[in-house]
Amino acid sequence: MKQTWRWFGPKDLVSTEDVAQAGAEGIVSALHHVPTGAVWTPEEIAQRQAEIAHMTDGSPSGLDWAVVESLPVSEDIKKQQGAWREHIANYKTSLRNLAGAGIEVICYNFMPVLDWTRTDLAWRLKSGASCMRFDLVDFATFDLHILARPGAAEDYDEALRDAAARRFAAMDDPAREALAGNVVFGLPGAAERFSLEDVRAHLAEYAALSEDSLRSHLIDFLSEVAPVAQELGLRLCCHPDDPPFPLLGLPRIMSTEAQYAQVMQAVDIPANGITLCSGSLGARPDNDLPGMMQRLGDRVHFLHLRNVKRESTEIRGSFYEAEHLGGDTDMVALVEAVLVEEARRRKAGRADWSIPFRPDHGQDILDDLGRRTQPGYPSIGRLKGLAELRGIIAALSPRVSA
């Protein structure tokens, strides 16, 4: 299991020195400044590789660009509208340029409109630490009363509508603005930021798109790009929906094991693979993460290891980002399943036997609390998570390899 670390480039308040001192072996990054749909040029890729390879004083960092996260898929591709064919052509060119730079693993997602969604980016825990949280009442408050989405009331039962109305009435204008900002925050470091009007416009364009149609568009996209990736020796890996249930009336197509299996079978080549995110998938109580690794592990090319604590037993419910070993996913069982898969790959002679992982979404603890890094990506909280995961790996590896 190759230990990696997400880094947002030179503007990231967590430096390459911090990453090296944490003991990570590689960097997960992207060209966040390049507009979605545009080509990633060899020059831009080389620039990011050089930034990763050096510390701020110019000395070698010992790190490499191990995983791209993300090479984003445009909304036009997802909707098959506008410049979607041009964007697919550009995606293929970007894949060729990444392969030319020696980068093999490319993570992406197919979530419509918004990337991951939270209602609080710094929710205070009893310990004094803070974490990200998804509160279903807050989200309904945003959907019903701030965004005022047409038809939103049909997505919530009477009790939830009443709770949202009470919460909205108790909020002042700054609180309402803060909630809206949290929900549309999306991917940290991304080139684009959505306003409420942007969200409304995208939702209107998605109104006629069903789950089956969106899945068909994903399969069409993969039918074009996955053979190119296969030819180039690349591994594409789709990140799950986060959270893994419908929001804003939008379809969700990568939220369960069955949905993943369907897409893997539709484009059945090794380059078409999975980013197994234990936090995203773990927010849904009917997802069995160790079992998913056992059954789909052959196509898992990248791992996000984090944990969430669910606050209900419902498919759609509130949750918060827990400590890496403190949530509802059995992280020990999941890591063991990963190590078993790696042992199977080594025995089969696969060059990709070592699956890269990163400690995802750490809690803000200690000095993190005053550094104001990207939400979910503090230095000390992730270091704690990496240390815990490293301990599990060290303890299980001799038993699995015996």
Side-chain angles (χ1 to χ4, degrees):
M1 295 177 68
K2 182 169 183 176
Q3 302 169 32
T4 66
W5 189 277
R6 193 167 195 184
W7 187 64
F8 295 100
K11 294 182 180 180
D12 195 328
L13 295 180
V14 180
S15 67
T16 49
E17 287 95 321
D18 296 332
V19 179
Q21 290 167 23
E25 301 163 324
I27 289 290
V28 177
S29 193
L31 303 181
H32 302 292
H33 58 287
V34 176
T36 300
V39 170
W40 286 18
T41 65
E43 294 76 18
E44 291 280 8
I45 293 167
Q47 176 65 29
R48 178 51 51 89
Q49 286 181 309
E51 292 161 350
I52 288 168
H54 295 87
M55 297 184 184
T56 52
D57 65 0
S59 60
S61 68
L63 300 165
D64 70 321
W65 191 355
V67 179
V68 168
E69 185 180 353
S70 297
L71 181 56
V73 180
S74 71
E75 295 300 313
D76 280 0
I77 291 174
K78 295 170 190 173
K79 292 179 288 191
Q80 290 195 356
Q81 293 181 0
W84 71 280
R85 295 185 187 278
E86 177 187 349
H87 290 177
I88 287 180
N90 290 347
Y91 207 96
K92 293 177 184 179
T93 301
S94 296
L95 291 178
R96 294 187 181 98
N97 293 340
L98 288 165
I103 303 170
E104 297 180 352
V105 182
I106 294 92
C107 175
Y108 69 98
N109 76 68
F110 219 75
M111 286 180 268
V113 185
L114 298 178
D115 203 286
W116 54 261
T117 303
R118 300 291 184 272
T119 57
D120 195 329
L121 305 182
W123 189 59
R124 184 177 173 85
L125 297 159
K126 291 180 180 179
S127 66
S130 68
C131 66
M132 297 200 295
R133 181 168 183 255
F134 178 88
D135 182 290
L136 185 57
V137 176
D138 274 348
F139 187 82
T141 301
F142 166 80
D143 194 8
L144 292 164
H145 301 287
I146 297 174
L147 185 65
R149 175 173 63 91
E154 299 173 9
D155 291 345
Y156 306 99
D157 62 27
E158 183 178 0
L160 191 49
R161 293 196 301 269
D162 289 346
R166 291 192 298 273
R167 188 158 297 180
F168 180 74
M171 289 179 169
D172 57 17
D173 287 340
R176 294 169 182 175
E177 291 173 4
L179 176 58
N182 290 344
V183 171
V184 302
F185 188 85
L187 180 65
E192 295 90 1
R193 282 285 185 268
F194 284 167
S195 67
L196 289 181
E197 285 307 312
D198 293 332
V199 173
R200 291 184 183 108
H202 278 299
L203 290 178
E205 292 181 348
Y206 273 102
L209 199 65
S210 67
E211 179 180 317
D212 287 343
S213 295
L214 184 62
R215 182 182 300 105
S216 177
H217 293 177
L218 171 57
I219 291 169
D220 289 344
F221 166 72
L222 288 170
S223 297
E224 290 277 345
V225 302
V228 175
Q230 184 75 19
E231 178 185 347
L232 295 168
L234 304 177
R235 301 187 293 282
L236 297 174
C237 35
C238 188
H239 189 281
D241 303 321
D242 186 7
F245 43 76
L247 298 175
L248 302 177
L250 294 166
R252 295 292 224 191
I253 58 169
M254 299 301 265
S255 294
T256 67
E257 180 176 349
Q259 289 176 329
Y260 263 104
Q262 186 173 356
V263 172
M264 294 305 106
Q265 291 164 7
V267 185
D268 194 10
I269 57 176
N272 177 30
I274 299 167
T275 297
L276 193 72
C277 178
S278 57
S280 299
L281 294 166
R284 185 173 170 133
D286 57 346
N287 279 333
D288 167 20
L289 271 298
M292 291 178 73
M293 187 65 214
Q294 292 164 4
R295 292 181 289 272
L296 301 176
D298 182 63
R299 303 281 277 274
V300 172
H301 299 323
F302 185 34
L303 294 153
H304 289 178
L305 297 182
R306 64 180 172 89
N307 227 324
V308 299
K309 187 65 179 177
R310 298 185 295 268
E311 299 175 33
S312 78
T313 58
E314 303 297 320
I315 296 296
R316 182 179 67 168
S318 302
F319 60 88
Y320 65 89
E321 308 272 5
E323 295 175 304
H324 283 72
L325 305 187
D328 289 310
T329 292
D330 185 340
M331 194 64 70
V332 175
L334 175 56
V335 170
E336 183 172 23
V338 174
L339 293 171
V340 169
E341 172 60 22
E342 288 190 332
R344 187 194 67 79
R345 293 184 185 189
R346 281 198 304 270
K347 186 176 181 180
R350 282 177 57 165
D352 65 338
W353 67 266
S354 181
I355 305 173
F357 79 93
R358 66 175 177 85
D360 199 11
H361 290 193
Q363 295 182 349
D364 288 86
I365 59 175
L366 305 175
D367 289 351
D368 288 336
L369 293 165
R371 292 184 73 177
R372 301 186 65 81
T373 54
Q374 297 281 5
Y377 293 94
S379 55
I380 302 172
R382 281 188 289 167
L383 171 59
K384 178 174 179 284
L386 179 58
E388 293 171 340
L389 295 167
R390 190 180 287 141
I392 296 173
I393 295 166
L396 292 179
S397 291
R399 186 174 79 187
V400 171
S401 60

